[in-house]
Amino acid sequence: MKPWSAPTILLAAAALAAAAPSAFADSSGKWKSSQETYDKVCAYCHEANVGPVLTGRKLPPEYVRAIVRSGNRAMPAFRPTEIDDEILAGVAKLIATSTAK
Ligand code: HEC
């Protein structure tokens, strides 16, 4: 995998921080659906050449959940207060069963 340049990562982090108040959850503090979470959080990097493409790779759901909870280098970790277990399980399933775009 190609190394992520510091400027790219800083830009992405800054952009995500700016988007965060509206990006994380609705007024009830919960995501409506796993699809919405993927579209608003994961796609922000993973469909924008900041993170590797996730769809169509049959990534195991356990792997996706582990990376999301613990993070990995430039990949930020998300706490259960940000993405709860139920929504995350749905996101992982969605990625695992997705086809390449
Ligand atoms: C701020 C940008 C950003 C966001 C938001 C983000 N990721 Fe990532 N993700 C990355 C980057 C960058 C990597 C590559 C990390 C590395 O290998 O250095 C990565 C790696 C991953 C990997 C490992 C991919 C592989 O090829 O092994 C998975 C799985 C993953 N992310 C899932 C998710 C999911 C699910 C979400 C949404 C809940 C998400 N990410 C949100 C930036 C992001």
Side-chain angles (χ1 to χ4, degrees):
M1 188 181 297
K2 74 175 185 205
W4 302 95
S5 72
T8 306
I9 291 160
L10 284 177
L11 271 177
L16 187 72
S22 56
F24 291 118
D26 61 16
S27 55
S28 68
K30 288 205 73 170
W31 288 102
K32 284 196 275 302
S33 71
S34 298
Q35 183 68 57
E36 184 195 26
T37 309
Y38 177 83
D39 290 346
K40 291 195 179 161
V41 183
C42 318
Y44 194 83
C45 290
H46 287 281
E47 307 228 0
N49 292 323
V50 176
V53 169
L54 301 174
T55 49
R57 292 174 53 198
K58 297 189 169 62
L59 290 175
E62 315 77 67
Y63 174 71
V64 175
R65 289 205 306 269
I67 297 273
V68 170
R69 282 290 180 247
S70 57
N72 179 34
R73 298 187 290 178
M75 164 73 200
F78 293 90
R79 292 177 293 246
T81 47
E82 291 160 333
I83 299 175
D84 69 39
D85 287 340
E86 196 186 332
I87 290 286
L88 178 54
V91 171
K93 192 177 166 199
L94 213 133
I95 289 169
T97 56
S98 63
T99 48
K101 289 198 178 160

